[in-house]
Amino acid sequence: METIEIRKIALNEINQLQKIGRQTFQDTFSESNSDENMKKYLDEKFSVEKLTAELTNENSEFYFAILQNEAIGYLKVNFGDSQTELKDSKALEIERIYVLKEFHGKKVGQLLYEKAIQIAKNKKAEYVWLGVWEQNYRAARFYEKNGFVEFDKHIFKLGNDEQTDLMMKLKLVN
């Protein structure tokens, strides 16, 4: 496989981000959720307005995994007040790592994950945390393999459906 490049997403690439964001979320969760709840979530979370606000927020960063000029996955990390929960200044949150289905098992997620860890270390974070849906076994296993441990649970609302996310964290050795 050719080299995959990980690079920061610019504001003028918002349409590409919206496309891969919607597609990967749909691929990952549509089987387990109603069309109505999926549509509501995608329309809210992946609107141009919402993505613009997130891309221009100095406490959030987005990165594409690029193969032959095509985005095949992306990463979103948050620090400080942009974290969806904890909001601990000593922490970095991995909010999203998504990879197009046809590239699953090809180490793309691992590259994006390693980028997140590098950012956390550069920011002198003491730990990295994230939420993963309890029924997304693939993702939960991936994080466990990388040393994350579960420390809590929280409710994630998808449309009118309340789902349980496992909250996991990894202590960093700086």
Side-chain angles (χ1 to χ4, degrees), residues 94-132:
I94 296 177
E95 188 181 345
R96 298 185 185 141
I97 291 183
Y98 284 105
V99 176
L100 292 174
K101 222 180 206 156
E102 60 267 35
F103 293 98
H104 283 183
K106 294 188 165 51
K107 303 273 186 267
V108 183
Q110 188 67 33
L111 287 171
L112 289 165
Y113 165 78
E114 285 163 9
K115 179 67 181 174
I117 297 300
Q118 180 198 331
I119 294 164
K121 287 181 172 172
N122 291 347
K123 293 198 173 288
K124 307 270 187 274
E126 291 177 10
Y127 65 96
V128 176
W129 72 276
L130 52 90
V132 60

Side-chain angles (χ1 to χ4, degrees), residues 11 13-22 42 44-57 62 74 76 96:
L11 193 54
E13 297 174 300
I14 194 162
N15 293 345
Q16 208 179 352
L17 174 61
Q18 183 183 43
K19 185 170 168 263
I20 195 171
R22 292 178 67 105
L42 291 171
E44 283 171 13
K45 301 294 183 190
F46 293 99
S47 69
V48 168
E49 296 73 28
K50 176 104 170 85
L51 291 174
T52 301
E54 292 178 350
L55 273 167
T56 53
N57 178 341
F62 286 85
Y74 77 104
K76 181 185 182 205
R96 298 185 185 141

Side-chain angles (χ1 to χ4, degrees), residues 14 34 41 43 56 59 65 68-69 83 85 91 102 109-110 117 122 137 139 143 173-174:
I14 194 162
S34 73
Y41 185 87
D43 288 348
T56 53
N59 286 319
Q68 296 173 327
N69 298 321
Q83 295 174 82
E85 284 191 36
E102 60 267 35
Q110 188 67 33
I117 297 300
N122 291 347
Y137 305 115
Y143 292 117
V173 185
N174 284 326

Side-chain angles (χ1 to χ4, degrees), residues 155-166:
I155 297 299
F156 176 85
K157 275 189 79 106
L158 198 131
N160 60 11
D161 189 20
E162 293 198 343
Q163 303 178 348
T164 303
D165 270 4
L166 307 177

